[in-house]
Amino acid sequence: MVKFLPLKQAVAENLNDGDAVAFEGFTHLIPTAAAHEAIRQRFRDLTLIRMTPDLIYDQMIGMGMAKKIVFSYVGNPGVGLLRRARDAIENGFPRSIEVEEHSHAGMANAYEAGAAGLPCAVFRGYRGAGLAAVNPNIKSVTCPFTGEVLAAVPSIRPDVTFIHAQKADRKGNVLVEGIIGIQKEAVLAASRAVVTVEEVVDNFDDLHPNLTVLPRWTIAAISVVPGGSHPSYAHGYYARDNAAYLEWDEIAADREKFQAWMQANVIEKSADDFAARVEHLRKAA
């Protein structure tokens, strides 16, 4: 049964040290507020799963929370490197982490397989690429019907998935629109799912039918956090904060500056702070 909870409680009840956890959102609707709450609660030894890890995983890695990352492309979108992730991988600071790199297609298919309850994903991919040489979880199988050699990867089945969405209704169903990336599959593949939303509405009756609606039985907890995906954007609510992504490159480049920023902007803040962060972005949405 889905529960409406304050974000602090929702994270505490659903995330544990050592979990495999996905904070998903492909450029759009990134669950930043949920990631920041996990940082404040100082979870450890997490396996962080995400297509295109960006600022939130750079922050979590830099705070020493990750023992492993499963990903497709590590970067600050439109800017360049994730400097805290690179420091951990190259220098073991603040701790060494294990890496498992896939293509976008590999991750998407692995999530879909997890959502379907399958042990692995089989697809055309990785041909001519070198990832299989460094990732032992990329295998090949031969189709028993055609003889075609195909790629195979283990399904992704997180202990818990966090996403951000536009709306929940009062029954606990969640509506997502715009670019939805792999969020639906990430929720369905997980043992538990926590969703932050911009608002709660009575129902979805007046909305057009071409939307993604996650039924309440797929979700463990919902937290209302307006602005909760900043600095990414929420379609129909606020625009992407491009300046924040540019600023992050300089902040993350220095270990001491990173720690000072995290203390002032994450540790000493709360989910209530997100609404104020996006006020200047709402008219541009």
Side-chain angles (χ1 to χ4, degrees):
M1 178 70 69
V2 62
K3 296 187 285 187
F4 286 85
L5 299 173
L7 183 58
K8 183 177 181 179
Q9 183 179 352
V11 172
E13 290 187 3
N14 289 283
L15 184 60
N16 304 291
D17 289 341
D19 274 354
V21 54
F23 289 80
E24 274 297 350
F26 196 78
T27 300
H28 176 226
L29 295 175
I30 294 171
T32 310
H36 283 187
E37 185 55 45
I39 292 169
R40 282 190 289 272
Q41 296 188 29
R42 301 184 184 277
F43 288 98
R44 305 289 295 180
D45 296 326
L46 301 176
T47 295
L48 298 177
I49 306 165
R50 180 167 159 74
M51 293 178 68
T52 63
D54 65 351
L55 273 57
I56 57 172
Y57 276 17
D58 210 28
Q59 293 166 2
M60 296 174 84
I61 291 167
M63 296 299 285
M65 299 171 67
K67 69 175 181 182
K68 178 179 179 179
I69 55 172
V70 181
F71 64 93
S72 54
Y73 173 72
V74 171
N76 181 344
V79 179
L81 303 172
L82 287 184
R83 298 184 183 275
R84 291 299 90 224
R86 182 168 183 170
D87 203 6
I89 293 167
E90 293 185 348
N91 304 312
F93 184 89
R95 60 177 291 182
S96 296
I97 58 172
E98 183 183 349
V99 298
E100 181 179 327
E101 184 174 4
H102 291 275
S103 66
H104 285 341
M107 290 283 287
N109 277 278
Y111 271 125
E112 288 199 7
L118 297 172
C120 68
V122 178
F123 61 104
R124 292 187 178 95
Y126 296 116
R127 294 175 180 176
L131 279 176
V134 296
N135 183 351
N137 278 333
I138 298 171
K139 308 287 188 182
S140 62
V141 296
T142 301
C143 175
F145 304 105
T146 66
E148 182 180 4
V149 178
L150 301 167
V153 295
S155 61
I156 293 177
R157 301 293 299 272
D159 294 305
V160 56
T161 288
F162 291 87
I163 67 166
H164 188 75
Q166 281 97 343
K167 294 180 172 71
D169 68 16
R170 301 195 187 282
K171 294 179 180 179
N173 303 298
V174 168
L175 179 147
V176 189
E177 61 179 328
I179 298 173
I180 60 169
I182 204 70
Q183 285 99 305
K184 176 183 72 175
E185 291 79 4
V187 165
L188 296 178
S191 299
R192 305 176 299 280
V194 176
V195 184
T196 53
V197 296
E198 292 293 323
E199 62 176 327
V200 175
V201 297
D202 289 334
N203 55 60
F204 302 148
D205 292 347
D206 60 342
L207 300 171
H208 65 81
N210 190 24
L211 298 167
T212 295
V213 176
L214 295 167
R216 60 182 183 268
W217 54 264
T218 65
I219 299 161
I222 295 171
S223 299
V224 181
V225 187
S229 69
H230 178 268
S232 73
Y233 72 102
H235 174 73
Y237 288 81
Y238 46 89
R240 188 177 190 267
D241 190 347
N242 292 315
Y245 286 88
L246 291 169
E247 290 166 1
W248 182 253
D249 190 56
E250 181 180 350
I251 293 162
D254 182 87
R255 293 175 180 176
E256 292 184 0
K257 183 177 289 188
F258 164 77
Q259 287 291 342
W261 190 94
M262 293 297 293
Q263 184 66 34
N265 294 278
V266 179
I267 304 301
E268 296 177 3
K269 299 290 185 179
S270 72
D272 296 335
D273 177 61
F274 275 83
R277 298 185 191 187
V278 299
E279 280 307 311
H280 70 291
L281 300 167
R282 291 191 184 277
K283 292 182 179 179

